[in-house]
């Protein structure tokens, strides 16, 4: 059971609720987010009667939760959560398209790509400045310089930007440039990082670890949510299986499963999910048909010469053609591709 306090509930009200729970013989877990406090009621016995607690001053809701993911589950929040990213809502019944290169490589590259993906219908720009590479000898990203170029691309195109943050100390820096903080697959269980992005109160795109179960993904989301940051989007990006023909195995099952058990928006990443550009379109269309709220796609002006993930990157022409096909699939499942409210003309 969790007790959700009102935004702005006072310390006195919170202490009273905690004292009441303890007096009933339960322990508490208090999550103090910047916006609101959530009190978990812990104990092996049956949970207490919610009624008296729900009548206490400062309490917004008392929710019985049987799943281990308390706040991410639909028990806690039956309606779909939407996350505002720039001028659009992700998860509000439309199909959002996030696109851009794997890595920010130069100012011209990211600005040019931003215009190209916007023209084709993307409503957010992706690009890594801090890259989690399997080899320490591979390109590690431009760091803060890359963040500055992303911010410039946002200024010029109006597209909000999403970029990865890899360690807790870097959260304030990355948050000062980015609209959405990406947690990469390799960091899905970096709990200090999850707590830090939770405290940042920024929208977060949480990618599924390459060997993580759906439940583990949701428990990681719980770390962010339990800090009071409800702006979490989940991302299926392929898991590791015995198959080696493709880079990963995109778990299409995860899309309808997540849509059923959690209220958080679900984004599909077919680029990493399959790893070869000739298959990215088919997997993207399948993910849209399966109910994804959005797609994140790697697009490069010159994929053959990309500094990372060129093999799975689409060029702007193929990307534009894919967006047209995605709009047909979106229509078939009762959605439409999200568009920017007021495109900025530059
Ligand atoms: C990426 O988005 O470029 C990336 C590194 O993704 P993942 O963490 O899913 O491997
Ligand atoms: Mn990549």
């Amino acid at each position: 059971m969790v007790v959700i306090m009102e935004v702005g509930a006072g310390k006195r009200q919170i202490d009273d609720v905690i004292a009441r729970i303890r007096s009933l013989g339960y322990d508490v877990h208090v999550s103090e987010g910047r916006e609101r406090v959530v009190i978990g009621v812990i104990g092996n016995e049956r949970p207490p009667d919610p009624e008296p607690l729900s009548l206490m001053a400062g309490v917004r809701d008392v929710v019985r939760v049987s799943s281990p993911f308390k706040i991410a589950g639909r028990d806690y929040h039956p309606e779909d959560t939407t996350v505002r990213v720039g001028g659009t809502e992700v998860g509000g019944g439309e199909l959002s398209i996030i696109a851009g290169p794997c890595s920010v490589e130069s100012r011209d590259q990211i600005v040019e790509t931003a215009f190209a993906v916007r023209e084709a219908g993307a409503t957010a720009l992706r690009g890594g400045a801090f890259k989690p590479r399997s080899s320490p000898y591979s390109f590690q990203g431009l760091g803060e310089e890359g963040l500055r170029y992303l911010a410039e691309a946002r200024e010029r195109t109006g597209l909000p930007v999403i970029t990865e943050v890899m360690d807790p100390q870097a959260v304030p820096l990355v948050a000062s440039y980015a609209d959405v903080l990406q947690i990469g697959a390799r960091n899905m269980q970096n709990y200090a990082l999850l707590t830090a992005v939770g405290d940042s109160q920024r929208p977060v795109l949480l990618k599924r670890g390459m060997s993580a179960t759906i439940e583990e993904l949701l428990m990681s989301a719980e770390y962010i949510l339990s800090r009071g940051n409800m702006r979490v989007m989940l991302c299926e990006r392929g898991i590791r299986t015995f198959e080696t023909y493709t880079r990963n195995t995109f778990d299409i099952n995860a899309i309808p499963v997540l849509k059923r058990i959690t209220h958080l928006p679900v984004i599909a990443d077919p680029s990493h999910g399959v790893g070869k550009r000739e298959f990215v379109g088919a997997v993207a269309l399948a993910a849209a048909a399966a109910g994804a709220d959005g797609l994140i796609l790697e697009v490069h002006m010159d994929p053959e010469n990309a500094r990372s993930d060129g093999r799975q990157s689409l060029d702007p022409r193929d990307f534009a053609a894919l967006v047209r096909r995605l709009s047909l699939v979106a229509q078939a499942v009762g959605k439409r591709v999200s568009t920017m409210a007021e495109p900025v003309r530059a």
Side-chain angles (χ1 to χ4, degrees):
M1 179 184 274
V2 288
V3 179
I4 300 143
M5 302 300 292
E6 298 280 6
V7 174
K11 183 173 178 334
R12 176 85 185 274
Q13 295 174 328
I14 294 164
D15 288 346
D16 284 351
V17 172
I18 292 171
R20 173 78 67 90
I21 295 168
R22 290 209 168 114
S23 76
L24 295 168
Y26 298 88
D27 209 347
V28 295
H29 175 266
V30 182
S31 292
E32 288 189 40
R34 252 182 225 152
E35 284 189 5
R36 70 167 93 239
V37 169
V38 175
I39 303 167
V41 180
I42 299 163
N44 291 326
E45 303 301 316
R46 278 162 37 107
D49 179 5
E51 183 77 12
L53 287 170
S54 67
L55 296 174
M56 291 185 74
V59 172
R60 196 191 83 171
D61 215 353
V62 179
V63 185
R64 273 210 169 104
V65 180
S66 49
S67 63
F69 35 93
K70 309 279 178 214
I71 308 174
R74 286 217 186 251
D75 290 345
Y76 164 63
H77 194 287
E79 312 282 291
D80 281 352
T81 285
T82 65
V83 177
R84 176 159 280 275
V85 176
T88 65
E89 294 284 342
V90 178
E94 294 190 341
L95 183 70
S96 302
I97 299 182
I98 305 162
C102 179
S103 304
V104 179
E105 298 172 7
S106 69
R107 171 189 281 126
D108 288 351
Q109 174 243 16
I110 194 68
V111 170
E112 201 184 340
T113 314
F115 279 111
V117 299
R118 188 189 75 179
E119 189 63 33
T123 51
L125 176 68
R126 63 149 289 148
F130 294 97
K131 294 303 301 178
R133 304 306 301 280
S134 302
S135 164
Y137 310 117
S138 301
F139 177 55
Q140 303 286 309
L142 296 180
E144 188 171 0
E145 186 187 353
L147 297 176
R148 283 199 296 271
Y149 297 156
L150 278 168
E152 192 175 323
R154 170 182 50 215
E155 244 162 67
R156 295 184 52 186
T157 60
L159 290 175
V161 303
I162 165 163
T163 196
E164 180 162 354
V165 58
M166 294 203 300
D167 81 277
Q169 284 77 39
V171 170
L173 173 77
V174 179
S176 73
Y177 290 96
D179 298 277
V180 179
L181 302 174
Q182 176 174 321
I183 301 295
R186 292 157 190 79
N187 270 318
M188 189 204 83
Q189 287 175 314
N190 181 339
Y191 300 119
L193 181 60
L194 298 174
T195 301
V197 297
D199 286 339
S200 79
Q201 301 299 327
R202 269 309 157 83
V204 176
L205 181 77
L206 175 63
K207 298 188 98 179
R208 180 180 181 181
M210 56 189 84
S211 302
T213 63
I214 289 171
E215 184 168 312
E216 286 164 342
L217 170 63
L218 290 170
M219 293 313 292
S220 289
E222 206 68 23
Y223 270 84
I224 305 169
L225 299 166
S226 64
R227 305 303 292 183
N229 183 355
M230 304 303 282
R231 296 191 282 173
V232 179
M233 297 171 278
L234 304 170
C235 180
E236 164 57 39
R237 48 76 72 204
I239 52 176
R240 194 163 268 195
T241 68
F242 52 80
E243 183 54 70
T244 55
Y245 191 78
T246 49
R247 180 178 180 184
N248 290 294
T249 296
F250 184 84
D251 182 10
I252 192 81
N253 301 0
I255 306 288
V257 170
L258 286 168
K259 288 304 296 174
R260 171 73 61 94
I261 63 182
T262 173
H263 52 90
L264 300 172
V266 177
I267 308 294
D269 175 352
S271 305
H272 294 87
V274 65
K276 292 182 175 176
R277 97 172 55 83
E278 58 273 35
F279 306 121
V280 167
V283 178
L285 294 165
D293 295 295
L295 291 156
I296 182 165
L297 290 154
E298 288 187 339
V299 176
H300 197 279
M301 303 307 293
D302 179 12
E304 302 303 325
N305 291 303
R307 295 193 74 181
S308 61
D309 287 351
R311 183 68 185 85
Q312 67 198 31
S313 298
L314 302 174
D315 65 24
R317 246 184 65 168
D318 287 347
F319 171 65
L322 175 58
V323 174
R324 288 193 289 274
R325 295 172 72 204
L326 281 167
S327 70
L328 297 174
V329 170
Q331 216 179 324
V333 295
K335 292 186 182 176
R336 63 188 185 94
V337 171
S338 200
T339 49
M340 299 230 283
E342 288 165 46
V344 178
R345 288 285 157 216

